Amino acid sequence: MGPNPNEIFPNPKIPSLCFIKNVIKNPNIIVGEYTYYDDINGAENFESHVTHHYDFVGDKLIIGKFCAIAKGIEFIMNGANHRINSITTYPFNIMGNGWEKSAPSLTDLKLKGDTVVGNDVWIGQNVTVLPAVHIGDGAIIGANSVVAKDIPPYSVAVGNPCEVKRKRFDEDLIEYLLQIKWWDWNSEKIFKNMEALCSGDLTKIKNIID
């Protein structure tokens, strides 16, 4: 019925592949089952690829189930923002030594909210995701992209800035997939329907086996 979703390394033959839900310690990073990060240099260190993520800001990184994330990912969180409504953007306060008095309020930083990656999302190598972006279910993000705005479900997007190039499927099929939410099925139902999920014949998914 598939690998144990609670294993850190689900396949001993592929030590670069890690189910990252099982190595996350920060409560503001929430990852669904079976989502993996693939990095020969230490996939278990995924959390180090979430930068400028400060407790006092309180923003969350939320990643769904069954996502495939290639090496070199960087999620830049809201803590990277500088004050821009003043003469200088320089963060005097973080240098200490009396400069703390210039600390901006959170409202000065124009925080944008949580960063959300849907389910069944494939993110290619060396992708950077900027704060508060939402990437829809089933989307594909091409290698070396900089994702600065929301990406709709089941879109193929690439570039700097990342732009949607096409939809993966027609609107009817996309609506159907968003309704059935296969990623929420139990492992037995996924196993029974794996042929349809992995087939190039897109009509098979309309015949779900319970």
Side-chain angles (χ1 to χ4, degrees):
M1 294 298 174
N4 181 348
N6 296 314
E7 290 286 346
I8 294 176
F9 300 103
N11 187 342
K13 296 179 180 179
I14 310 178
S16 66
L17 192 152
C18 171
F19 280 166
I20 53 179
K21 174 182 76 72
N22 305 314
V23 297
I24 295 299
K25 297 178 181 178
N26 188 331
N28 284 334
I29 302 177
I30 301 164
V31 182
E33 290 184 338
Y34 300 103
T35 285
Y36 73 81
Y37 178 52
D38 188 359
D39 189 340
I40 194 64
N41 296 316
E44 69 275 16
N45 298 318
F46 170 82
E47 201 165 342
S48 67
H49 297 269
V50 184
T51 63
H52 305 89
H53 199 195
Y54 306 127
D55 290 343
F56 72 89
V57 175
D59 55 339
K60 293 179 172 62
L61 170 60
I62 302 168
I63 303 175
K65 303 174 184 177
F66 292 96
C67 293
I69 304 175
K71 73 175 186 176
I73 185 68
E74 183 173 10
F75 289 97
I76 300 177
M77 304 301 286
N78 280 286
N81 287 325
H82 289 211
R83 175 171 43 200
I84 62 173
N85 60 351
S86 55
I87 297 298
T88 180
T89 62
Y90 189 82
F92 287 99
N93 59 293
I94 67 174
M95 304 305 167
N97 297 286
W99 283 0
E100 299 92 338
K101 69 177 184 178
S102 70
S105 67
L106 293 182
T107 55
D108 287 335
L109 296 177
K110 298 187 182 300
L111 305 179
K112 299 178 180 179
D114 297 333
T115 300
V116 180
V117 178
N119 304 279
D120 191 24
V121 172
W122 173 23
I123 300 178
Q125 287 190 179
N126 303 315
V127 167
T128 299
V129 180
L130 298 187
V133 162
H134 287 210
I135 299 174
D137 297 323
I140 297 173
I141 308 298
N144 302 305
S145 295
V146 176
V147 188
K149 63 182 180 181
D150 293 355
I151 304 298
Y154 289 98
S155 296
V156 178
V158 66
N160 181 7
C162 192
E163 299 286 349
V164 173
K165 298 302 180 182
R166 63 180 176 86
K167 293 283 191 177
R168 292 181 58 196
F169 311 121
D170 64 47
E171 292 296 336
D172 287 342
L173 181 53
I174 290 173
E175 183 178 354
Y176 174 75
L177 294 173
L178 293 175
Q179 287 176 350
I180 66 170
K181 299 178 188 272
W182 71 262
W183 42 83
D184 286 338
W185 296 347
N186 61 39
S187 59
E188 182 178 359
K189 186 172 181 178
I190 289 174
F191 189 78
K192 288 179 179 178
N193 290 279
M194 194 160 287
E195 180 183 353
L197 289 169
C198 298
S199 176
D201 181 352
L202 301 180
T203 63
K204 289 186 175 182
I205 196 61
K206 297 293 181 74
N207 300 307
I208 295 172
I209 302 171
D210 290 321

